[in-house]
C-alpha cells in the first residue's frame, strides 16, 4: 500500500477560477543504467548496496529479480530473463505510485476535477513505447484509481505512436536535426562549453573508464542519480561534490547544446499536441479533464525551458502539471448589475463572458507539486491562455511541416546563445 502524500492540498484550487483541465507530463521512475553510463567496473571492496532496504553484497545483484520490477503482465517478459538495461526498478514503481497518490489527492479529492471512480471519457493516458515509461504510467494510474474505483472498467487504455510518429523526445531519423547538431558542435560557443567539462571528465574516467565520455554529461548524471537512489557507493572520497558538479553541468547542457531550430525539430510536435489539447478543451471539442503523458527527461526538460519554469535536469519520477483555469463568478453579487444577462439563473460556479473582451482562461504550472512563476509570461503564476499559446508558438511544428523540414539540408545555426533542449539520446531512448 502507498501512503497518502499529504501534499495534494498544498496549493488549493483558486476559488476565483474553475479548473477545467490538467496535462500531466511525467518522467519514468528510477531505472537501471543504460549503455556506456553503466555502474563502475568495480565497487569498493565489501561495499553493501540495498534494494528497498534489503542489503545485497555484490553489485551484480542489482541486475537480479529482487531489485527490479516484476512486470504487470506475465507475458511481457519471462520471469527467468535478466532485466534489460534501463529497466524500471521496484523503487521506480514506488515513486510513480506516490505521484499517482498525489494526483488523486489533488484532482479527485481537492479540486474535484475527476470523479472518485475512473471514467475513460475524462482521463487520457499516453506513453512512449519505452518499457520503463509504460510500466511507470501503469503504476501511476493504479495509485490514482485503486481497483475498487474501476468498477466495470478493468483496463485503462494507453496510447502511443509508432516509431516515426513518436514526438515526445528528439528523433534520430530527422536528417536536418542531426545536421544542425553537428554544425552546432563546431561553433566557438559550444567548443568553449565542452572544454569547460574537462575537469569533470578527469574525475569520472578513473571511476568508470574512458568509455564514460561517450555517454555525455547528462547520461552520467542519470547513472550517478541511480547509484544514489539504489545505495550503490560512488567509489570516490568526494562523491557528493562530484554528484553536485555533474548535476549542474547536466542542467547547463539544456542551455548550451541546442539552438531554437534543434529544439523545435526535437520536440515541437509534442508541444503542438499540448497546445491543441488546451484549445480543444476551451472549445468543448474534447471531454478530457486530465491527460497524462509518460516520457523522459528530454520530454520534460525542453518543455520546462520553453515556459521558463526549468528547475534543472528533471529527475526520475518527476512530473509537471499544466493546469487550465477558467474565470468563474459564483453569484450575481460578484457581478455588476449591467453585466448580468436577463433571466440568468445561477446554479453553481458559472462563467459569463467578460464584456471588455478579457481572456477568461488562464494557465498555471506546477513542477514537482510546486506552483512556479512562468518566466516566459512575465513571471506570472496565472498566465492568460492567449499569452501562453503565443510564447509557445515559435517552438511548434505540425507533423506535415516536420516531415518536410527533416528532409531539407540544414543551415548553420546562429552564433547567439543556444536555446535549451533535450538530453543526449543515450540517456533516455
Amino acid at each position: 500500500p502507498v501512503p497518502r502524500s499529504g501534499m495534494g492540498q498544498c496549493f488549493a484550487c483558486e476559488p476565483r477560477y474553475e479548473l477545467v483541465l490538467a496535462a500531466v507530463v511525467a518522467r519514468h521512475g528510477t531505472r537501471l543504467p543504460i549503455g556506456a553510463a553503466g555502474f563502475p567496473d568495480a565497487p569498493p571492496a565489501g561495499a553493501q548496496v540495498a534494494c528497498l532496504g534489503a542489503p545485497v553484497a555484490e553489485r551484480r545483484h542489482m541486475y537480479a529479480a529482487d531489485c527490479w520490477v516484476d512486470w504487470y503482465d506475465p507475458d511481457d517478459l519471462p520471469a527467468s530473463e535478466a532485466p534489460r538495461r534501463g529497466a524500471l526498478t521496484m523503487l521506480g514503481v514506488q515513486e510513480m505510485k506516490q505521484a499517482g497518490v498525489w494526483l488523486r489527492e489533488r484532482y479527485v479529492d481537492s479540486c474535484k476535477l475527476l470523479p472518485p471512480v475512473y471514467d475513460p471519457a475524462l482521463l487520457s493516458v499516453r506513453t512512449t513505447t519505452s518499457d520503463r515509461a509504460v510500466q511507470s504510467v501503469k503504476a501511476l494510474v493504479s495509485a490514482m484509481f485503486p481497483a475498487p474505483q474501476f468498477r466495470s472498467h478493468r483496463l485503462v487504455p494507453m496510447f502511443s505512436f509508432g516509431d516515426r510518429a513518436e514526438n515526445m523526445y528528439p528523433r534520430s531519423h530527422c536528417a536536418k536535426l542531426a545536421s544542425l547538431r553537428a554544425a552546432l558542435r563546431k561553433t566557438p560557443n559550444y567548443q568553449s562549453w565542452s572544454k569547460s567539462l574537462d575537469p569533470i571528465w578527469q574525475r569520472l574516467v578513473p571511476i568508470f573508464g574512458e568509455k564514460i565520455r561517450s555517454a555525455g554529461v547528462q547520461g552520467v548524471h542519470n547513472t550517478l542519480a541511480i547509484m544514489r537512489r539504489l545505495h550503490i557507493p560512488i567509489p570516490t572520497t568526494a562523491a557528493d561534490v562530484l554528484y553536485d558538479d555533474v548535476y549542474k553541468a547536466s542542467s547547463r547542457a539544456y542551455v548550451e547544446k541546442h539552438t531554437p531550430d534543434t529544439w523545435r525539430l526535437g520536440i515541437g510536435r509534442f508541444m503542438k499536441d499540448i497546445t491543441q489539447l488546451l484549445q480543444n478543451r476551451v472549445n468543448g471539442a474534447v471531454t478530457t479533464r486530465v491527460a497524462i503523458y509518460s516520457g523522459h527527461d528530454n520530454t520534460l526538460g525542453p518543455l520546462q525551458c520553453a515556459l521558463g519554469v526549468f528547475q534543472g535536469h528533471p529527475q526520475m519520477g518527476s512530473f509537471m502539471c499544466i493546469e487550465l483555469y477558467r474565470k468563474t463568478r459564483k453569484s450575481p453579487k460578484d457581478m455588476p448589475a449591467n453585466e448580468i444577462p436577463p433571466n440568468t439563473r445561477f446554479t453553481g460556479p458559472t462563467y459569463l463572458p467578460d464584456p471588455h473582451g478579457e481572456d477568461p482562461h488562464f494557465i498555471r504550472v506546477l513542477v514537482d507539486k510546486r506552483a512556479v512563476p512562468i518566466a516566459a509570461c512575465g513571471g506570472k503564476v496565472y498566465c492568460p491562455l492567449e499569452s501562453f499559446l503565443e510564447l509557445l508558438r515559435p517552438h511548434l511544428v505540425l507533423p506535415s511541416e516536420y516531415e518536410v523540414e527533416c528532409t531539407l539540408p540544414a543551415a548553420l545555426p546562429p552564433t547567439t546563445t543556444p536555446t535549451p533542449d533535450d538530453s543526449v539520446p543515450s540517456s533516455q531512448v
Side-chain angles (χ1 to χ4, degrees):
V2 179
R4 293 176 62 84
S5 70
M7 296 289 288
Q9 298 185 30
C10 279
F11 296 94
C13 295
E14 171 59 58
R16 293 175 298 168
Y17 305 116
E18 175 192 5
L19 180 60
V20 296
L21 174 72
V24 181
V25 186
R27 186 185 180 190
H28 57 76
T30 297
R31 58 163 171 80
L32 295 177
I34 298 173
F39 293 133
D41 292 332
Q48 294 287 319
V49 297
C51 296
L52 296 181
V56 292
E58 299 179 26
R59 178 180 56 87
R60 64 180 176 83
H61 285 159
M62 296 311 296
Y63 294 89
D66 60 349
C67 291
W68 70 288
V69 61
D70 290 328
W71 297 85
Y72 286 79
D73 301 314
D75 295 336
D76 283 347
L77 192 67
S80 60
E81 184 175 332
R84 307 165 186 172
R85 290 181 177 182
L88 189 67
T89 64
M90 292 188 68
L91 175 61
V93 172
Q94 292 298 313
E95 291 165 347
M96 300 314 294
K97 286 185 175 181
Q98 289 285 4
V101 168
W102 187 88
L103 291 172
R104 180 178 178 84
E105 289 177 5
R106 179 164 183 78
Y107 296 126
V108 176
D109 300 338
S110 178
C111 296
K112 312 298 183 184
L113 183 60
L114 291 175
V117 178
Y118 166 71
D119 185 340
L122 305 180
L123 176 71
S124 69
V125 179
R126 179 178 154 193
T127 177
T128 68
T129 56
S130 165
D131 288 337
R132 56 185 173 276
V134 173
Q135 298 300 330
S136 289
V137 79
K138 283 184 177 182
L140 184 151
V141 174
S142 72
M144 277 190 75
F145 292 97
Q149 278 71 48
F150 274 92
R151 291 187 180 171
S152 61
H153 301 287
R154 304 302 301 172
L155 297 176
V156 177
M158 294 191 300
F159 301 92
S160 60
F161 290 138
D163 181 63
R164 190 172 182 86
E166 178 56 71
N167 61 25
M168 288 178 67
Y169 54 83
R171 308 312 310 278
S172 59
H173 63 242
C174 182
K176 183 176 180 180
L177 178 58
S179 180
L180 284 168
R181 286 175 164 175
L184 175 62
R185 288 193 290 270
K186 298 177 181 178
T187 62
N189 281 353
Y190 184 93
Q191 292 182 355
S192 175
W193 170 74
S194 182
K195 184 69 175 175
S196 71
L197 298 179
D198 285 350
I200 291 179
W201 294 122
Q202 291 169 5
R203 293 149 66 189
L204 289 168
V205 168
I207 301 173
F208 292 88
E210 193 65 34
K211 65 181 181 180
I212 196 63
R213 292 181 183 271
S214 65
V217 68
Q218 291 173 315
V220 174
H221 165 261
N222 283 331
T223 287
L224 294 183
I226 293 167
M227 294 177 69
R228 269 191 158 193
R229 295 183 181 197
L230 298 182
H231 307 290
I232 302 175
I234 302 173
T236 175
T237 56
D240 289 341
V241 174
L242 176 61
Y243 177 86
D244 291 342
D245 289 347
V246 170
Y247 171 74
K248 292 174 183 176
S250 178
S251 299
R252 184 64 187 173
Y254 281 89
V255 177
E256 300 291 351
K257 291 181 60 176
H258 297 277
T259 69
D261 283 337
T262 63
W263 192 6
R264 180 171 175 270
L265 289 177
I267 201 171
R269 292 178 297 164
F270 177 59
M271 291 185 185
K272 179 64 177 176
D273 291 346
I274 294 286
T275 59
Q276 190 63 58
L277 174 67
L278 295 172
Q279 291 172 314
N280 286 344
R281 187 71 178 103
V282 168
N283 298 332
V286 296
T287 60
T288 303
R289 295 184 185 178
V290 174
I292 299 174
Y293 301 88
S294 182
H296 309 273
D297 54 355
N298 51 7
T299 305
L300 275 173
L303 192 56
Q304 292 176 359
C305 289
L307 301 179
V309 297
F310 184 65
Q311 308 291 303
H313 189 147
Q315 301 296 314
M316 283 167 266
S318 64
F319 61 94
M320 67 181 291
C321 305
I322 301 173
E323 298 182 338
L324 174 65
Y325 289 84
R326 181 174 61 190
K327 271 190 175 180
T328 61
R329 286 159 169 165
K330 295 193 175 183
S331 75
K333 293 186 299 182
D334 299 328
M335 303 174 59
N338 62 351
E339 291 184 19
I340 303 176
N343 302 317
T344 297
R345 297 182 64 188
F346 290 83
T347 58
T350 303
Y351 163 69
L352 293 175
D354 190 286
H356 308 294
E358 180 184 350
D359 184 357
H361 293 92
F362 291 81
I363 295 292
R364 184 164 75 158
V365 176
L366 279 65
V367 177
D368 290 328
K369 309 174 186 176
R370 184 170 61 89
V372 294
I374 304 174
C377 196
K380 298 177 181 177
V381 174
Y382 284 91
C383 180
L385 176 61
E386 284 303 318
S387 299
F388 181 86
L389 296 176
E390 187 62 32
L391 68 90
L392 280 183
R393 191 163 287 120
H395 309 297
L396 307 181
V397 59
L398 293 170
S400 57
E401 297 170 339
Y402 174 85
E403 292 297 333
V404 172
E405 289 191 50
C406 282
T407 61
L408 296 177
L412 277 175
T415 56
T416 54
T417 303
T419 305
D421 198 357
D422 51 87
S423 304
V424 292
S426 63
S427 72
Q428 273 306 159
V429 181

